Amino acid sequence: MTETTRDSVTRTFGILTAGGDCPGLNAAIRGVCRAAHGRYGMSIVGISDGYRGLIEQNVRVLRPVDFAGILTRGGTILGASREKPFKDSAGRDSEVAEDKVAAIIKNYHALHLDCLVVLGGNGTNTTGYRLACEGLNVLGLPKTIDNDIEGTDRTFGFNSALAIGTEAIDRLHSTAQSHNRVMVIELMGHKAGWLALYAGIAGGGDIILIPEIPYDIKAIGRDLAGRSRAGKTFSIVVVAEGALSIEEAKMDRKDRKKYRADFPTGYRIAKEIERETGMETRATVLGYVQRGGVPSATDRVLATSLGTAAADMLARGEYGKMVALAGNGIGAVDLSLPAGKVKTVPIDHFMLDTAKAVGTCLGV
Ligand code: F6P
């Protein structure tokens, strides 16, 4: 049954995906576009490679054929970039940046957009907020495997990456057991520990290290020695890429950056463990595998529902917001809420207690 076209405040909108890609982006694009076009008859301008495409007017009209058959596809049909229009190459606001922002505003109007829909993480939604402050209508959607966006209970991409991380930990168990080794696995997550914490619990990690709880290598050594005395012949240590020691946490930002520059976190911690315990230790850095491939069923559902809710908001002219998961429903928050913030794991989060309750060491 075809729906009758409903009234809509938005006639034409632009859509872009920015920041690192993740599973579920295409499902979200499809959700927004199908509902916006099918239900409200809106016209859609697809913008290539994030904000860069709007600066360079690298755009194309999206027709139903363009967003058909993409639900299960990984990556993004629009392409992505880490272009931050308000920043220069050194990450500072500057005149160069002013030119890029001016180009975005000019092209937004030249394309006759009523709104710009941005699918992205903290940076993308922060830029969206700043563009809204410049007078553009903007709507954000929360995507990232890091799950670190303020204002939403969950981001799409997280569930898929969690499944990949968990499978990797499962696979490490058998080889760790065969060789009586300590296996360190580093998962992504930027400055937040959500992915490592959840995958660590799902995969039964013996030690989980996240940036929110600076670790003490002595405590890790004691835990591993205790496991050994109890007859456990191997251990799995799940490490967030942003995990840091108590000593690193005390360093100023510049010194810490220098100290961490040479080795990925997982390799560094594996070395520290070997030095501390004398136990044979190996490291695996899972990297971009976590961001690739098809979205999980949960991410498809979340991305689709966030996308269709965004289309309804476009129709109502409800701009300046980020669509969000709130409990079991879809809601929206003002774009100023996620702007400039990183949602880390609260130190009293119930999952930390869950981990401790099953005997997992959190590095302290
Ligand atoms: O934000 C997603 C993420 O995958 C982080 O987990 C990671 O720190 C970062 O992106 C990697 O970024 P890039 O794709 O620029 O190397």
Side-chain angles (χ1 to χ4, degrees), residues 82 144-146 188-190 241 288 291:
R82 289 210 183 268
T144 167
I145 64 165
D146 303 338
M188 282 185 167
H190 202 221
E241 65 176 324
Y288 297 92
R291 282 186 3 200

Short mmCIF file of all heavy atoms in Angstrom, two decimals, residues 82 144-146 188-190 241 288 291, ligand 1:
data_model
loop_
_atom_site.label_atom_id
_atom_site.label_comp_id
_atom_site.label_asym_id
_atom_site.label_seq_id
_atom_site.Cartn_x
_atom_site.Cartn_y
_atom_site.Cartn_z
N ARG A 82 37.31 13.50 7.36
CA ARG A 82 37.42 14.14 8.68
C ARG A 82 37.56 15.65 8.54
O ARG A 82 38.13 16.31 9.43
CB ARG A 82 38.59 13.54 9.44
CG ARG A 82 38.32 12.11 9.91
CD ARG A 82 39.05 11.79 11.19
NE ARG A 82 38.85 10.42 11.61
CZ ARG A 82 37.89 10.05 12.42
NH1 ARG A 82 37.04 10.93 12.90
NH2 ARG A 82 37.76 8.78 12.77
N THR A 144 28.69 6.21 15.58
CA THR A 144 30.09 5.92 15.87
C THR A 144 30.20 4.59 16.59
O THR A 144 29.33 4.23 17.39
CB THR A 144 30.79 7.00 16.74
OG1 THR A 144 32.05 6.48 17.22
CG2 THR A 144 29.99 7.39 17.98
N ILE A 145 31.26 3.87 16.31
CA ILE A 145 31.50 2.62 17.04
C ILE A 145 31.91 2.91 18.49
O ILE A 145 31.88 2.03 19.32
CB ILE A 145 32.59 1.74 16.36
CG1 ILE A 145 33.96 2.44 16.38
CG2 ILE A 145 32.19 1.37 14.94
CD1 ILE A 145 35.12 1.50 16.07
N ASP A 146 32.27 4.17 18.77
CA ASP A 146 32.79 4.51 20.11
C ASP A 146 31.69 4.69 21.15
O ASP A 146 31.97 4.66 22.35
CB ASP A 146 33.61 5.81 20.05
CG ASP A 146 34.75 5.73 19.05
OD1 ASP A 146 35.16 4.61 18.72
OD2 ASP A 146 35.22 6.80 18.60
N MET A 188 39.14 -0.29 19.59
CA MET A 188 39.03 1.16 19.40
C MET A 188 38.14 1.77 20.49
O MET A 188 37.79 1.12 21.45
CB MET A 188 38.48 1.44 18.01
CG MET A 188 39.51 1.32 16.90
SD MET A 188 38.77 1.83 15.33
CE MET A 188 40.24 1.98 14.33
N GLY A 189 37.78 3.01 20.29
CA GLY A 189 36.91 3.69 21.27
C GLY A 189 37.33 5.13 21.52
O GLY A 189 36.71 5.84 22.30
N HIS A 190 38.46 5.54 20.86
CA HIS A 190 38.99 6.89 21.03
C HIS A 190 39.26 7.15 22.51
O HIS A 190 39.99 6.39 23.11
CB HIS A 190 38.03 7.90 20.39
CG HIS A 190 38.71 9.20 20.05
ND1 HIS A 190 38.13 10.42 20.26
CD2 HIS A 190 39.93 9.44 19.55
CE1 HIS A 190 38.96 11.37 19.88
NE2 HIS A 190 40.06 10.79 19.44
N GLU A 241 41.84 1.54 23.23
CA GLU A 241 42.99 2.25 22.63
C GLU A 241 43.41 3.46 23.46
O GLU A 241 44.56 3.87 23.46
CB GLU A 241 42.68 2.69 21.19
CG GLU A 241 41.59 3.72 21.05
CD GLU A 241 41.38 4.19 19.62
OE1 GLU A 241 42.36 4.32 18.88
OE2 GLU A 241 40.22 4.44 19.26
N TYR A 288 40.86 -1.36 12.12
CA TYR A 288 39.72 -0.97 11.28
C TYR A 288 38.75 -2.10 10.95
O TYR A 288 37.66 -1.84 10.46
CB TYR A 288 40.23 -0.29 10.01
CG TYR A 288 40.96 0.98 10.36
CD1 TYR A 288 42.33 0.97 10.58
CD2 TYR A 288 40.27 2.17 10.56
CE1 TYR A 288 43.00 2.11 10.98
CE2 TYR A 288 40.92 3.31 10.95
CZ TYR A 288 42.28 3.28 11.16
OH TYR A 288 42.93 4.42 11.58
N ARG A 291 35.39 -1.48 12.17
CA ARG A 291 34.50 -0.52 11.52
C ARG A 291 33.97 -1.02 10.19
O ARG A 291 33.15 -0.36 9.56
CB ARG A 291 35.26 0.80 11.28
CG ARG A 291 35.36 1.61 12.50
CD ARG A 291 35.96 2.98 12.37
NE ARG A 291 36.34 3.48 11.09
CZ ARG A 291 37.20 4.48 10.92
NH1 ARG A 291 37.76 5.05 11.98
NH2 ARG A 291 37.50 4.93 9.74
O1 F6P B 1 35.70 7.43 16.02
C1 F6P B 1 35.82 6.20 15.43
C2 F6P B 1 37.23 5.75 15.42
O2 F6P B 1 37.26 4.50 14.78
C3 F6P B 1 37.92 5.69 16.78
O3 F6P B 1 37.56 4.55 17.50
C4 F6P B 1 39.37 5.76 16.39
O4 F6P B 1 40.14 6.33 17.41
C5 F6P B 1 39.34 6.67 15.21
O5 F6P B 1 38.04 6.62 14.67
C6 F6P B 1 40.31 6.33 14.09
O6 F6P B 1 40.27 7.39 13.19
P1 F6P B 1 40.83 7.39 11.69
O7 F6P B 1 39.82 6.70 10.84
O8 F6P B 1 40.91 8.83 11.36
O9 F6P B 1 42.14 6.68 11.73
#
